[in-house]
Amino acid sequence: MLKKLSLSAALTLGLSATAALAAGGAGHVEDYDFSFEGPFGTFDQNQLQRGLKVYTEVCAACHGLKFVPIRTLGDAGGPDLPADQVREYAKLYEVYDEELEDFREAKPVDHFPESALENAPDLSLMAKARAGFHGPYGLGINQLMKGMGGPEYIASLMTGYVDPPACAPDDFDGYYNRAFTAGGIPAECKDENGYSKIEGSWIGMAPPLDDGYVEFDDGHENDLENLSKDVSAFLMWTAEPKMMARKQAGLTGVLFLTVLAVLLYLANKRLWAPIKQRAKDEE
């Protein structure tokens, strides 16, 4: 059973979370521009197809998309692949069939496989699970115009592998990433209170992308930043496949309410006009 937190307990938890973030170091999240941002933004179909290719050739070796049906790759508003391409794509994977008690070739009705490694998180909802933007506007303007910044966080993580700071020993485990805040930090890079003096932390995953790792048929730029943005956009779609329909429904609702408000105002004015005029005449 869930229990309500007292104000003091909530404040304590909030301060603890702030302290944990400080101890782990603030991460650097680049504010990338994506076509789907804002109330009128839409997914770029070509970018989603490029992101699918990056995921397939690089990310799928470790990370799964267990909540994503393969057939949705053909949905309008998404990668929108032709039906024959979706069927061919499904054949790239094997899924376990409980009736056969064995693995078989995947079909479009199946979901993407789960992560191949136990410590590799599933990426289906990662763009919604990770918040890239913090501060007083995290739940206000940023959420309205850009969302919570999950795609920016993922892209920043992909491009955030840089040389370790001077304070770090050479033999410290992992790879320094200035966007990742949940990893280890050497004692040499902390102040006397145990708080980090640097951005980010060390992550166990080696840099998954680099310039030219994936070639695109249309000759699109494939440097590290573009590859990172493409796969981040694709992961935003896996997390919010109905985003365009939701925005359309929201816009329709706003327009309907606007028209209704105008009609109510005019009706109210028409109904009360004779009464107001009669009151003036009696004066």
Side-chain angles (χ1 to χ4, degrees), residues 29-241:
V29 176
E30 191 72 24
D31 186 7
Y32 294 107
D33 290 326
F34 288 100
S35 64
F36 49 81
E37 292 177 342
F40 304 105
T42 59
F43 285 120
D44 181 341
Q45 178 183 315
N46 292 327
Q47 185 177 47
L48 294 184
Q49 292 181 1
R50 294 194 302 270
L52 171 62
K53 187 170 186 179
V54 176
Y55 169 78
T56 304
E57 295 188 7
V58 180
C59 309
C62 300
H63 298 276
L65 293 173
K66 64 181 180 181
F67 297 116
V68 182
I70 298 175
R71 59 176 170 75
T72 59
L73 294 177
D75 288 354
D80 201 10
L81 298 181
D84 59 332
Q85 291 188 21
V86 175
R87 288 192 294 270
E88 289 301 315
Y89 182 85
K91 295 177 182 179
L92 296 176
Y93 301 101
E94 286 188 340
V95 296
Y96 185 78
D97 192 315
E98 294 184 356
E99 293 184 0
L100 297 176
E101 296 185 351
D102 198 1
F103 285 90
R104 61 166 173 78
E105 194 174 75
K107 302 176 182 178
V109 294
D110 295 312
H111 285 217
F112 280 80
E114 298 184 11
S115 297
L117 302 177
E118 290 185 2
N119 60 345
D122 185 86
L123 299 181
S124 304
L125 305 174
M126 188 59 67
K128 291 180 65 176
R130 293 291 187 178
F133 301 128
H134 299 279
Y137 302 107
L139 295 177
I141 300 300
N142 274 333
Q143 186 172 18
L144 174 65
M145 301 306 297
K146 299 178 180 295
M148 290 306 296
E152 281 84 357
Y153 171 81
I154 295 173
S156 297
L157 182 70
M158 297 296 98
T159 60
Y161 290 89
V162 294
D163 293 333
C167 61
D170 294 335
D171 59 348
F172 195 74
D173 289 339
Y175 303 85
Y176 175 62
N177 189 296
R178 61 179 184 168
F180 187 69
T181 60
I185 299 176
E188 294 86 345
C189 295
K190 297 180 180 179
D191 61 19
E192 61 275 9
N193 296 316
Y195 293 160
S196 174
K197 300 184 293 184
I198 60 174
E199 285 184 326
S201 62
W202 273 253
I203 187 173
M205 179 177 68
L209 292 174
D210 205 345
D211 295 339
Y213 266 29
V214 178
E215 295 287 341
F216 299 120
D217 297 335
D218 61 359
H220 192 274
E221 293 179 84
N222 61 347
D223 56 276
L224 174 60
E225 180 175 309
N226 277 285
L227 293 177
S228 301
K229 290 172 63 177
D230 289 344
V231 73
S232 298
F234 173 71
L235 292 177
M236 185 69 248
W237 172 78
T238 66
E240 280 277 15

Side-chain angles (χ1 to χ4, degrees), residues 268-269 271-281 283:
N268 180 72
K269 187 174 182 180
L271 289 172
W272 283 95
I275 300 175
K276 290 181 178 180
Q277 185 61 44
R278 190 181 313 126
K280 287 182 180 180
D281 293 342
E283 291 177 356

